[in-house]
Amino acid sequence: LNPEQQDATARALAAEDFFLVHGPPGTGKSTVLAEVAAQAVADGKRLLCTAASNAAVDHLLDLCLDKGLRAIRVGHPARVAARLQEHTLDIVVESHPDRAVSRDLFDEAYSLLGYARRQRNQGRSRERFANARASTTEAKGMLDEARALERKAVKSVLANADVICVTLSSLDSGVLAGQQFDLALLDEATQATEPLALLGFLRAPRVILAGDPQQLPPTVLSQEAAKAGLGVSLFERLLKDHGEGVKRMLREQYRMNARIMDFPSREMYGGELRAHPSIADRTLDAVLTPGADVDAPPVLYLDTAGKGFDEEVEPTTRSLFNPGEAGLVEARVRALLAAGLAPRELAVITPYSAQAHQLRERIEALSPEVEVDTVDAFQGREKDAIIVSLTRSNSEGQLGFLTDLRRMNVALTRARRHLFVVGDSATLSGHPFYARFVEGTQTHGGYRSAWEWPDAQDT
């Protein structure tokens, strides 16, 4: 752990009621949570690990297992990553001795109920009726005993675990009724609505919330609810109410080349992020075929201004797409794969679902291993190379939800070695954030115009 991570861990463990770990992209928030979990368990604490999404809870489970902790994942196995299913409560309980006995009792009980049904169906004699009634009574007793043993097995498995990992919305599930913990870790806390986050506080006297208020906020579909404050996470409200003293910000990041980091650091984090020396200068060349000729500085902005690549509206969903931009992106994917970039180390992301659909159709044919998704779906992920299709191109300079800079912060901080952004500066530059981004690429030799770009002729 670096000094900031050590300090965050110590302060989290010493907190009286809650503590906030602010983890900008790549700063090792997960490393801190894993260390807090390990030290809390070593101190005899019972731990709850929770988050709003299944993916985030699976990630917490991974961290706990890597630390050698006995962790159980509560939730339907179908919603848990395949590699982690053996740690789900449902599957662990199956191998408990009490569950084996309860299975036999269930089998015997159902066999008796079948016998009772046959007795009743074979005639109305007093003897058959008595047999049926006796068998039914015995079967009901067995079923009660089997269910009691099942509950006992579940309680035993839960009691034997150091850590319980579960989504916030499943905390109220029957199996966890009455379960209390010494400490709760709430990851991706800035993506959970406040009522959901408060469920963690009902189960433990101390809660550590980890997240980044400069990345995506909670998803709130109702505009009215968002305006009334539901779009503000508990993490943000606690920070506002209690000040910087309840928070530790991690500043050293281990993901991005320093040039990729510079713009988001200045715009979103007051210029406070530092690139760890081990990754500060890493480039795409190192993971391409030796001698591959590809134009790939750490940050490259391809400007489509004046090309007539206008955005279009998908009639059913009303989402936006841009076929001209999609053609440039497809050509770029082709070029990077030809230069030897591993397909699993390349992702294409866009703010708009309709554009993601367009791109997916084009790129799957090149390689199904290249991930194509919306920015929102890609939060928390990283790849060596990321292509961002901004999509918006219109004469009015309308940007829609591109004006939510937290979404753009996510988009611009996924790449380790090479960030390639396609957009129309004529539409984007009316917004100071995008104007500064384009200007920055011009200053550092990362600006290209689609008019001179070789791939543009192929679209």
Side-chain angles (χ1 to χ4, degrees):
L1 300 185
N2 66 36
E4 286 164 358
Q5 292 170 331
Q6 286 171 4
D7 182 55
T9 302
R11 287 174 66 187
L13 288 165
E16 281 181 36
D17 39 24
F18 71 89
F19 187 70
L20 310 176
V21 178
H22 179 192
T27 53
K29 166 173 66 80
S30 298
T31 308
V32 170
L33 290 178
E35 188 59 29
V36 169
Q39 289 192 32
V41 168
D43 197 29
K45 301 278 191 294
R46 188 155 191 252
L47 197 62
L48 169 68
C49 283
T50 186
S53 72
N54 280 296
V57 175
D58 284 350
H59 181 55
L60 287 168
L61 176 59
D62 261 332
L63 297 176
C64 292
L65 294 172
D66 287 347
K67 286 284 187 181
L69 307 181
R70 289 190 309 254
I72 289 291
R73 173 73 158 91
V74 174
H76 196 290
R79 296 196 186 93
V80 176
R83 69 182 192 287
L84 297 171
Q85 285 182 359
E86 65 185 285
H87 302 285
T88 57
L89 178 64
D90 292 26
I91 286 167
V92 174
V93 162
E94 283 303 311
S95 55
H96 192 278
D98 284 342
R99 175 66 182 117
V101 176
S102 83
R103 265 198 304 270
D104 291 342
L105 282 170
F106 276 123
D107 288 345
E108 231 175 300
Y110 290 131
S111 168
L112 277 170
L113 288 171
Y115 170 75
R117 194 167 53 251
R118 286 193 302 278
Q119 286 292 304
R120 280 193 297 270
N121 291 343
Q122 281 169 6
R124 292 187 169 274
S125 79
R126 183 173 295 178
E127 187 188 347
R128 283 204 178 99
F129 183 72
N131 287 343
R133 192 164 56 185
S135 297
T136 302
T137 305
E138 192 180 348
K140 281 180 176 168
M142 283 179 173
L143 288 172
D144 288 344
E145 193 182 342
R147 289 186 190 108
L149 280 168
E150 230 176 19
R151 286 193 295 273
K152 191 175 157 213
V154 166
K155 276 189 174 160
S156 165
V157 168
L158 291 174
N160 207 30
D162 300 321
V163 187
I164 303 298
C165 300
V166 60
T167 59
L168 286 161
S169 57
S170 296
L171 265 174
D172 265 358
S173 69
V175 290
L176 291 177
Q179 295 274 334
Q180 287 295 315
F181 302 87
D182 301 307
L183 178 67
L185 301 186
L186 170 49
D187 198 9
E188 302 293 5
T190 44
Q191 281 192 281
T193 59
E194 181 165 332
L196 210 49
L198 287 169
L199 292 172
F201 282 77
L202 296 177
R203 296 305 183 107
R206 296 192 297 144
V207 182
I208 311 306
L209 296 90
D212 181 7
Q214 297 300 84
Q215 294 187 62
L216 289 167
T219 302
V220 179
L221 299 178
S222 161
Q223 293 296 310
E224 206 178 323
K227 281 193 191 108
L230 196 62
V232 177
S233 67
L234 182 61
F235 185 108
E236 292 168 275
R237 194 170 68 73
L238 289 172
L239 185 57
K240 184 167 172 278
D241 291 351
H242 297 273
E244 295 289 318
V246 297
K247 179 195 92 168
R248 182 56 154 118
M249 179 177 165
L250 307 175
R251 292 176 173 83
E252 189 159 58
Q253 63 86 20
Y254 298 80
R255 176 185 299 166
M256 299 166 270
N257 172 293
R259 190 57 57 71
I260 299 172
M261 174 200 75
D262 282 343
F263 181 75
S265 175
R266 272 198 319 276
E267 293 288 328
M268 309 300 286
Y269 303 103
E272 291 190 55
L273 299 190
R274 308 183 300 276
H276 187 268
S278 65
I279 55 91
D281 300 316
R282 63 178 177 192
T283 59
L284 200 62
D285 291 348
V287 293
L288 299 179
T289 306
D293 181 24
V294 63
D295 182 8
V299 181
L300 197 156
Y301 174 66
L302 182 59
D303 190 357
T304 65
K307 291 295 286 185
F309 291 166
D310 290 347
E311 66 193 51
E312 297 178 30
V313 180
E314 206 284 316
T316 325
T317 60
R318 310 301 298 162
S319 180
L320 299 176
F321 64 99
N322 189 320
E325 237 179 63
L328 289 173
V329 169
E330 181 189 352
R332 182 62 174 178
V333 169
R334 203 186 292 274
L336 290 174
L337 295 179
L341 181 63
R344 66 182 177 280
E345 282 303 343
L346 173 61
V348 178
I349 56 177
T350 174
Y352 293 94
S353 55
Q355 181 72 343
H357 180 71
Q358 279 262 326
L359 290 163
R360 202 174 286 118
E361 285 191 332
R362 289 168 175 262
I363 288 161
E364 262 185 353
L366 302 178
S367 169
E369 283 189 90
V370 175
E371 277 188 70
V372 181
D373 223 324
T374 59
V375 175
D376 294 46
F378 213 75
Q379 175 152 327
R381 310 278 312 286
E382 59 185 79
K383 299 273 185 182
D384 277 344
I386 295 283
I387 298 174
V388 182
S389 170
L390 293 177
T391 309
R392 297 305 302 240
S393 178
N394 56 71
S395 53
E396 298 81 33
Q398 287 184 350
L399 294 183
F401 67 14
L402 256 60
T403 55
D404 186 343
L405 302 183
R406 293 172 296 186
R407 181 170 280 104
M408 280 320 298
N409 185 35
V410 172
L412 299 177
T413 54
R414 303 301 98 201
R416 299 187 200 110
R417 300 169 183 273
H418 176 59
L419 171 67
F420 182 92
V421 181
V422 189
D424 176 358
S425 65
T427 299
L428 298 166
S429 291
H431 191 293
F433 175 92
Y434 294 99
R436 287 192 293 270
F437 175 74
V438 174
E439 200 179 305
T441 61
Q442 289 167 334
T443 307
H444 297 293
Y447 177 89
R448 309 285 184 272
S449 167
W451 288 97
E452 298 141 14
W453 187 249
D455 291 347
Q457 276 75 59
D458 305 336
T459 61

